[in-house]
Amino acid sequence: MAAPAQAIPRHVAIIMDGNGRWAKERGLPRIKGHEQGAQAVRACVEGCGDLRIEYLTLYAFSAENWQRPRAEVMALMRLLERFLKEKTPELLEKNVRLQAIGRLTDLPGACQRQLHKSIEQTAGNNGLTLILALSYGGRLEIIDGIKSLLHEIELGHIDRAMIDVEMFSKHLYTRYYPDPDLLIRTSGEMRISNFLLWQLSYTEMYVTPKLWPDFGKEDLFAAVEEFSQRQRRYGGV
Ligand code: IPE
Ligand code: IPE
Ligand code: MG
């Protein structure tokens, strides 16, 4: 399928779900599904580049995912560190700028160091902005936003009467990015799972039964093609 010609979303957000099921179907340990899932990220980043999408946010690890068995969590953290180390040269080559949102200080030290290194190394790129959501929770983000606003009030920088939607948006992790236009969730689940609660208010949703490790460029193009047929109304007529 060719890339659609118009109405390309500026910002695509993806809930990359189904790694565990992908592994289970093959009688493999869950971590094998996560490894295959990391490979799927590559095609997706490339597809976004082909379509000239400006922002891609990937839900890689939720604030709630810390509740998983310790062995799985640790394996995921090691995978993240390895992925960043291995893929940074490719991000540089593809002019991708890496960013991250979430409670990043919750990540193991080695992960944080590699993450910041990759972010710094790609900071000068001006192609796709790839945003990884790590230890990310939408409710926590809103709480952090409220705390940050209160701090500014205490400092006397702002008055509470000045708080509006636009100002609050500037106190979220996503303050530098536009809201997502298209949300994709793989593996068929019809829920948000605490992802970008504030930012998804008027985002178009696309759910596919495909499991994340099987999600390829063609699937991304199909989602964008469907998006281009949608009529967005934002509460109007
Ligand atoms: C998504 O796949 C990856 C993460 C949440 C880290 P899952 O691990 O949730 O896979 P399923 O939902 O169990 O199939
Ligand atoms: C959402 O998937 C989080 C990520 C994809 C990182 P989960 O598998 O954690 O969500 P639930 O538990 O099905 O809602
Ligand atoms: Mg899941």
Coordinates of all heavy atoms in Angstrom, one line a residue, residues 7-62:
A7 N -3.6 14.9 4.5 CA -4.1 14.8 5.9 C -3.3 13.8 6.7 O -3.8 12.9 7.3 CB -5.6 14.3 5.8
I8 N -2.0 14.1 6.8 CA -1.1 13.3 7.6 C -1.1 13.8 9.0 O -1.1 15.0 9.2 CB 0.3 13.4 7.0 CG1 0.4 12.8 5.6 CG2 1.4 12.8 7.9 CD1 0.1 11.4 5.5
P9 N -1.3 12.9 10.0 CA -1.2 13.5 11.4 C 0.1 14.1 11.7 O 1.1 13.5 11.2 CB -1.5 12.2 12.2 CG -1.2 11.0 11.3 CD -1.4 11.5 9.9
R10 N 0.1 15.1 12.5 CA 1.4 15.7 12.9 C 2.0 14.8 14.0 O 3.2 14.7 14.1 CB 1.2 17.1 13.5 CG 1.2 18.2 12.6 CD 1.2 19.5 13.4 NE 2.5 19.9 13.8 CZ 2.8 20.9 14.7 NH1 1.8 21.6 15.3 NH2 4.0 21.3 15.0
H11 N 1.2 14.3 14.8 CA 1.6 13.6 16.0 C 0.9 12.3 16.1 O -0.4 12.3 16.2 CB 1.4 14.5 17.3 CG 1.9 13.9 18.5 ND1 2.0 14.6 19.7 CD2 2.5 12.6 18.8 CE1 2.5 13.8 20.7 NE2 2.8 12.6 20.1
V12 N 1.6 11.2 16.1 CA 1.0 9.8 16.3 C 1.5 9.3 17.6 O 2.7 9.4 18.0 CB 1.4 8.9 15.2 CG1 0.9 7.4 15.4 CG2 0.9 9.4 13.8
A13 N 0.5 8.7 18.4 CA 0.9 8.1 19.7 C 0.5 6.6 19.6 O -0.5 6.3 19.1 CB 0.2 8.8 20.8
I14 N 1.3 5.8 20.2 CA 1.1 4.3 20.1 C 1.2 3.6 21.4 O 2.2 3.8 22.1 CB 2.0 3.6 19.1 CG1 2.0 4.3 17.7 CG2 1.6 2.2 18.9 CD1 2.8 3.6 16.6
I15 N 0.1 2.9 21.8 CA 0.2 2.0 22.9 C 0.6 0.6 22.3 O -0.2 -0.1 21.7 CB -1.2 1.9 23.6 CG1 -1.7 3.3 24.1 CG2 -1.1 0.9 24.8 CD1 -3.1 3.3 24.7
M16 N 1.9 0.3 22.5 CA 2.5 -0.9 21.9 C 2.2 -2.1 22.8 O 3.0 -2.5 23.6 CB 4.0 -0.7 21.9 CG 4.5 0.6 21.2 SD 6.3 0.7 21.0 CE 6.8 0.9 22.7
D17 N 1.0 -2.7 22.6 CA 0.6 -3.8 23.5 C 0.6 -5.1 22.7 O 0.5 -5.2 21.5 CB -0.8 -3.4 24.0 CG -1.2 -4.2 25.2 OD1 -0.3 -4.8 25.8 OD2 -2.4 -4.3 25.5
G18 N 0.8 -6.2 23.5 CA 0.6 -7.5 23.0 C 1.9 -8.3 22.9 O 2.0 -9.4 22.3
N19 N 3.0 -7.8 23.4 CA 4.3 -8.5 23.3 C 4.2 -9.9 24.0 O 4.7 -10.9 23.6 CB 5.4 -7.7 24.0 CG 5.7 -6.4 23.3 OD1 5.3 -6.2 22.2 ND2 6.5 -5.6 23.9
G20 N 3.6 -9.9 25.2 CA 3.5 -11.1 26.0 C 2.7 -12.2 25.3 O 3.1 -13.3 25.2
R21 N 1.5 -11.7 24.7 CA 0.7 -12.7 23.9 C 1.4 -13.2 22.7 O 1.3 -14.4 22.4 CB -0.6 -12.0 23.5 CG -1.7 -12.1 24.6 CD -2.8 -11.1 24.4 NE -2.4 -9.7 24.8 CZ -3.1 -8.7 24.8 NH1 -4.3 -8.7 24.2 NH2 -2.7 -7.5 25.2
W22 N 2.2 -12.4 22.1 CA 3.0 -12.8 20.9 C 3.9 -13.9 21.3 O 4.0 -14.9 20.6 CB 3.8 -11.6 20.3 CG 4.5 -11.9 19.1 CD1 4.1 -11.6 17.8 CD2 5.9 -12.4 19.0 NE1 5.1 -12.0 16.9 CE2 6.2 -12.5 17.6 CE3 6.8 -12.8 19.9 CZ2 7.4 -12.9 17.1 CZ3 8.0 -13.3 19.4 CH2 8.3 -13.4 18.0
A23 N 4.6 -13.8 22.4 CA 5.5 -14.8 22.9 C 4.8 -16.1 23.3 O 5.2 -17.2 22.9 CB 6.3 -14.3 24.1
K24 N 3.6 -15.9 24.0 CA 2.9 -17.0 24.5 C 2.4 -17.9 23.3 O 2.5 -19.1 23.4 CB 1.7 -16.5 25.3 CG 1.0 -17.6 26.2 CD 0.0 -17.0 27.1 CE -0.7 -18.2 27.9 NZ -2.0 -17.9 28.3
E25 N 1.9 -17.2 22.3 CA 1.5 -18.0 21.1 C 2.5 -18.9 20.5 O 2.3 -19.8 19.9 CB 1.1 -17.0 20.0 CG -0.3 -16.4 20.1 CD -0.6 -15.4 19.0 OE1 0.2 -15.2 18.1 OE2 -1.8 -14.8 19.1
R26 N 3.8 -18.5 20.8 CA 4.9 -19.3 20.2 C 5.6 -20.1 21.3 O 6.7 -20.7 21.1 CB 5.9 -18.3 19.6 CG 5.5 -17.7 18.4 CD 6.2 -16.5 18.0 NE 5.7 -15.9 16.7 CZ 4.5 -15.3 16.6 NH1 3.8 -15.0 17.7 NH2 4.1 -14.8 15.4
G27 N 5.0 -20.2 22.5 CA 5.6 -21.0 23.6 C 6.9 -20.4 24.1 O 7.7 -21.1 24.6
L28 N 7.1 -19.1 23.9 CA 8.4 -18.5 24.3 C 8.2 -17.7 25.6 O 7.0 -17.3 25.9 CB 8.8 -17.5 23.2 CG 9.2 -18.1 21.8 CD1 9.3 -17.0 20.8 CD2 10.4 -18.9 21.9
P29 N 9.2 -17.4 26.3 CA 9.1 -16.5 27.5 C 8.7 -15.1 27.1 O 9.1 -14.6 26.0 CB 10.5 -16.5 28.1 CG 11.4 -17.1 27.1 CD 10.6 -17.8 26.1
R30 N 8.0 -14.3 27.9 CA 7.5 -13.0 27.6 C 8.6 -12.1 27.1 O 8.3 -11.3 26.2 CB 6.8 -12.4 28.9 CG 5.5 -13.1 29.3 CD 5.0 -12.5 30.5 NE 4.7 -11.0 30.3 CZ 3.6 -10.6 29.8 NH1 2.6 -11.4 29.4 NH2 3.4 -9.3 29.7
I31 N 9.8 -12.2 27.7 CA 10.8 -11.3 27.3 C 11.2 -11.4 25.8 O 11.6 -10.4 25.1 CB 12.1 -11.4 28.2 CG1 13.1 -10.3 27.9 CG2 12.7 -12.8 28.1 CD1 12.7 -8.9 28.2
K32 N 11.0 -12.6 25.2 CA 11.2 -12.7 23.8 C 10.2 -11.9 23.0 O 10.6 -11.3 21.9 CB 11.1 -14.2 23.4 CG 12.2 -15.1 23.9 CD 13.5 -14.8 23.1 CE 14.7 -15.5 23.8 NZ 15.9 -14.8 23.5
G33 N 9.0 -11.7 23.5 CA 8.0 -10.9 22.9 C 8.5 -9.4 23.0 O 8.3 -8.6 22.0
H34 N 9.0 -9.0 24.1 CA 9.5 -7.7 24.3 C 10.7 -7.4 23.3 O 10.8 -6.3 22.7 CB 9.9 -7.4 25.7 CG 8.8 -7.5 26.7 ND1 7.6 -6.8 26.5 CD2 8.7 -8.1 27.9 CE1 6.8 -7.1 27.5 NE2 7.4 -7.9 28.4
E35 N 11.6 -8.4 23.2 CA 12.7 -8.2 22.2 C 12.2 -8.0 20.8 O 12.7 -7.1 20.1 CB 13.6 -9.4 22.3 CG 14.5 -9.4 23.5 CD 15.3 -10.7 23.7 OE1 15.3 -11.6 22.9 OE2 15.9 -10.8 24.8
Q36 N 11.2 -8.8 20.4 CA 10.6 -8.7 19.1 C 9.9 -7.4 18.9 O 9.9 -6.7 17.9 CB 9.7 -9.9 18.8 CG 9.5 -10.2 17.4 CD 10.7 -10.5 16.6 OE1 11.6 -11.2 17.2 NE2 10.9 -10.1 15.4
G37 N 9.3 -6.9 20.0 CA 8.6 -5.6 20.0 C 9.6 -4.5 19.8 O 9.2 -3.5 19.1
A38 N 10.8 -4.6 20.4 CA 11.8 -3.5 20.2 C 12.2 -3.5 18.7 O 12.4 -2.4 18.2 CB 13.0 -3.8 21.1
Q39 N 12.2 -4.6 18.1 CA 12.5 -4.6 16.6 C 11.4 -3.9 15.8 O 11.7 -3.2 14.8 CB 12.7 -6.1 16.1 CG 13.9 -6.8 16.7 CD 15.2 -6.0 16.6 OE1 15.5 -5.5 15.5 NE2 15.9 -6.0 17.7
A40 N 10.2 -4.0 16.3 CA 9.0 -3.4 15.5 C 9.1 -1.9 15.6 O 8.6 -1.2 14.7 CB 7.7 -3.9 16.1
V41 N 9.8 -1.4 16.6 CA 9.9 0.1 16.7 C 10.6 0.7 15.5 O 10.3 1.7 15.0 CB 10.6 0.5 18.0 CG1 11.0 1.9 18.1 CG2 9.7 0.1 19.2
R42 N 11.6 -0.1 15.1 CA 12.4 0.4 14.0 C 11.6 0.7 12.7 O 11.7 1.8 12.1 CB 13.5 -0.7 13.6 CG 14.5 -0.3 12.6 CD 15.5 -1.5 12.5 NE 16.6 -1.1 11.8 CZ 16.8 -1.4 10.5 NH1 15.9 -2.0 9.8 NH2 17.9 -0.9 9.9
A43 N 10.8 -0.3 12.3 CA 9.9 -0.1 11.1 C 9.0 1.1 11.3 O 8.7 1.8 10.3 CB 9.1 -1.4 10.9
C44 N 8.5 1.2 12.5 CA 7.5 2.2 12.8 C 8.2 3.6 12.7 O 7.6 4.6 12.1 CB 7.0 2.0 14.2 SG 5.5 2.9 14.5
V45 N 9.4 3.8 13.2 CA 10.1 5.0 13.1 C 10.4 5.4 11.6 O 10.2 6.5 11.2 CB 11.4 5.0 13.9 CG1 12.3 6.1 13.6 CG2 11.1 4.9 15.4
E46 N 10.7 4.3 10.9 CA 11.0 4.5 9.5 C 9.8 4.9 8.7 O 9.8 5.9 7.9 CB 11.5 3.2 8.9 CG 12.7 3.3 8.0 CD 13.2 1.9 7.6 OE1 12.5 1.2 6.9 OE2 14.3 1.5 8.2
G47 N 8.7 4.3 9.0 CA 7.4 4.6 8.4 C 7.0 6.1 8.7 O 6.5 6.8 7.8
C48 N 7.2 6.5 9.9 CA 6.9 7.9 10.3 C 7.7 8.9 9.5 O 7.3 9.9 9.1 CB 7.0 8.1 11.8 SG 5.7 7.4 12.7
G49 N 9.0 8.5 9.3 CA 9.9 9.3 8.5 C 9.4 9.4 7.1 O 9.3 10.5 6.5
D50 N 9.0 8.3 6.5 CA 8.5 8.2 5.1 C 7.3 9.2 5.0 O 7.1 9.8 3.9 CB 8.0 6.8 4.7 CG 9.1 5.8 4.7 OD1 10.3 6.2 4.7 OD2 8.8 4.6 4.6
L51 N 6.4 9.2 6.0 CA 5.2 10.0 5.9 C 5.4 11.5 6.4 O 4.5 12.2 6.4 CB 4.1 9.4 6.8 CG 3.6 8.0 6.4 CD1 2.6 7.4 7.5 CD2 2.9 8.1 5.1
R52 N 6.6 11.8 6.8 CA 6.9 13.1 7.3 C 6.1 13.5 8.5 O 5.6 14.6 8.7 CB 6.7 14.2 6.2 CG 7.6 14.0 5.0 CD 8.9 14.6 5.1 NE 9.7 14.6 3.9 CZ 10.5 13.5 3.5 NH1 10.5 12.4 4.3 NH2 11.1 13.5 2.4
I53 N 5.8 12.5 9.3 CA 5.1 12.7 10.6 C 6.1 13.5 11.5 O 7.3 13.1 11.5 CB 4.6 11.4 11.2 CG1 3.4 10.9 10.4 CG2 4.3 11.5 12.7 CD1 3.0 9.5 10.6
E54 N 5.7 14.4 12.3 CA 6.6 15.2 13.1 C 6.9 14.6 14.4 O 8.0 14.8 14.9 CB 6.1 16.7 13.3 CG 6.0 17.5 12.0 CD 5.3 18.8 12.2 OE1 5.7 19.6 13.0 OE2 4.2 19.0 11.6
Y55 N 5.9 14.0 15.1 CA 6.1 13.5 16.4 C 5.5 12.1 16.5 O 4.4 11.8 16.0 CB 5.4 14.4 17.5 CG 5.8 15.8 17.5 CD1 5.2 16.8 16.7 CD2 6.8 16.2 18.4 CE1 5.6 18.1 16.7 CE2 7.2 17.5 18.4 CZ 6.6 18.5 17.5 OH 7.0 19.8 17.6
L56 N 6.3 11.2 17.2 CA 5.8 9.9 17.4 C 6.0 9.6 18.9 O 7.2 9.6 19.4 CB 6.6 8.8 16.6 CG 6.4 7.4 16.9 CD1 4.9 6.9 16.6 CD2 7.3 6.5 16.1
T57 N 5.0 9.4 19.7 CA 5.1 9.0 21.1 C 4.8 7.6 21.3 O 3.7 7.1 20.9 CB 4.2 9.9 22.0 OG1 4.5 11.3 21.8 CG2 4.3 9.5 23.4
L58 N 5.7 6.8 21.9 CA 5.6 5.4 22.1 C 5.4 5.1 23.6 O 6.3 5.5 24.4 CB 6.8 4.6 21.5 CG 7.0 4.8 20.0 CD1 8.3 4.0 19.6 CD2 5.8 4.2 19.2
Y59 N 4.3 4.4 24.0 CA 4.1 4.0 25.4 C 5.0 2.7 25.6 O 4.6 1.7 25.1 CB 2.7 3.7 25.6 CG 2.1 3.8 27.0 CD1 2.9 4.3 28.1 CD2 0.8 3.5 27.3 CE1 2.4 4.4 29.3 CE2 0.3 3.6 28.5 CZ 1.1 4.0 29.6 OH 0.5 4.1 30.8
A60 N 6.1 2.9 26.2 CA 7.1 1.8 26.3 C 7.0 1.1 27.7 O 7.3 -0.1 27.8 CB 8.5 2.3 26.0
F61 N 6.7 1.9 28.7 CA 6.6 1.3 30.1 C 5.8 2.2 30.9 O 6.1 3.4 31.1 CB 8.0 1.2 30.6 CG 8.1 0.4 31.9 CD1 8.2 -1.0 31.8 CD2 8.1 1.0 33.1 CE1 8.3 -1.8 32.9 CE2 8.1 0.2 34.3 CZ 8.2 -1.2 34.2
S62 N 4.7 1.7 31.5 CA 3.8 2.5 32.3 C 4.2 2.6 33.7 O 4.9 1.7 34.2 CB 2.4 2.0 32.1 OG 2.2 0.9 32.9

